[in-house]
């Protein structure tokens, strides 16, 4: 019995944990051959060995560095062939009041969250153009749709990801390629856990109180599960979403409408 993504090569960045790991599991479950890209090769390899189907591949890279990305994509292509699905999931979040946001923090947020998506997309796009089809899904954030205090650099970077998504979607709309952004709200990941710890340290609240405060930000008053984000990605990668492009899909329990 064939599976929806059988024969397709999906490359997922930031694949070792959290949302990225769930995306990898879901795409592999749909029949895709997956390249897991990230910084921690050991964690990536352990995850790849648990995946159904295959073959799958593992490549270590820093998405903010051009040469590293180029080498990683060449290795992925050599292992599994042309890339037909790209999920730009690698990201990083840091907070600071705007007046205390250093140039280094600003550059870090842009480098991983925005430049990384640009570099990876630029490497994958020729394969898709040659094939006349492809899927690019950028994991942005509700911070790419609205503003939040104390995360100006992160918010600017994620707004940039949404702008990149919309512009490229128009450019390749008649080439069989779709480009979309998925924008999670507060999700059960290391980023959320770090945010909770930061609130505890700075305010003296308990971890439970901090978590409840984050959950109150959406009408369902809950934290998003990584599997829910991955399921949106799975849909966008399938044939049934071929008319969906240039969109920002908010997976946020109603926080952004």
């Amino acid at each position: 019995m064939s599976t929806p993504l059988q024969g397709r090569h999906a490359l997922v960045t930031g694949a070792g944990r959290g949302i990225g790991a769930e995306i990898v599991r879901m795409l592999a479950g749909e029949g895709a051959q997956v390249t897991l890209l990230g910084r921690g090769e050991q964690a990536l390899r352990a995850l790849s060995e648990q995946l159904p189907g295959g073959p799958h591949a593992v490549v270590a890279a820093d998405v903010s560095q051009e040469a590293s990305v180029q080498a990683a994509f060449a290795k992925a292509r050599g292992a599994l062939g042309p890339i037909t699905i790209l999920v730009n999931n690698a990201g990083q979040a840091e907070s600071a009041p705007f007046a205390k946001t250093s140039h280094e923090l600003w550059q870090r947020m842009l480098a991983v969250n925005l430049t990384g998506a640009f570099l990876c997309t630029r490497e994958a796009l020729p394969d898709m153009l040659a094939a006349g089809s492809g899927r690019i899904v950028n994991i942005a954030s509700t911070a790419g749709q609205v503003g939040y205090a104390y995360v100006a650099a992160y918010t600017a970077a994620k707004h940039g990801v949404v702008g990149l998504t919309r512009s490229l979607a128009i450019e390749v709309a008649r080439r069989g390629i779709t480009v979309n952004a998925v924008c999670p709200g507060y999700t059960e990941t290391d980023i959320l856990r770090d945010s909770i710890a930061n609130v505890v340290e700075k305010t003296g609240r308990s971890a439970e109180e901090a978590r409840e405060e984050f959950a109150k930000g959406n009408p369902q008053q809950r934290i998003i599960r990584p599997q829910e984000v991955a399921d949106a990605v799975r849909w966008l990668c399938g044939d049934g979403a071929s008319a969906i492009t240039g969109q920002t899909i908010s997976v946020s329990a109603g926080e952004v409408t």
Side-chain angles (χ1 to χ4, degrees), residues 35-134:
T35 292
L36 293 74
L37 186 151
R39 293 189 179 188
E41 187 170 349
Q42 185 175 353
L44 295 171
R45 199 161 298 284
L47 175 58
S48 72
E49 292 170 356
Q50 301 170 13
L51 299 177
H56 305 295
V58 168
V59 291
D62 179 348
V63 298
S64 70
Q65 300 299 315
E66 184 175 22
S68 182
V69 170
Q70 289 173 339
F73 274 68
K75 183 178 179 181
R77 199 174 287 113
L80 298 178
I83 295 158
T84 51
I85 296 170
L86 171 65
V87 182
N88 285 310
N89 170 71
Q92 183 180 358
E94 294 182 47
S95 64
F98 184 79
K100 294 183 179 180
T101 298
S102 67
H103 184 253
E104 289 75 20
L105 188 156
W106 177 266
Q107 289 298 109
R108 280 198 303 275
M109 293 302 95
L110 292 179
V112 175
N113 295 299
L114 180 54
T115 302
F118 159 71
L119 291 173
C120 291
T121 300
R122 194 178 62 176
E123 288 302 309
L125 190 59
D127 288 350
M128 300 180 189
L129 290 170
S133 65

Side-chain angles (χ1 to χ4, degrees), residues 234-256:
R234 175 201 58 77
W235 172 63
L236 289 170
C237 290
D239 292 339
S242 60
I244 311 301
T245 194
Q247 303 304 304
T248 53
I249 310 298
S250 191
V251 183
S252 62
E255 179 185 353
V256 178

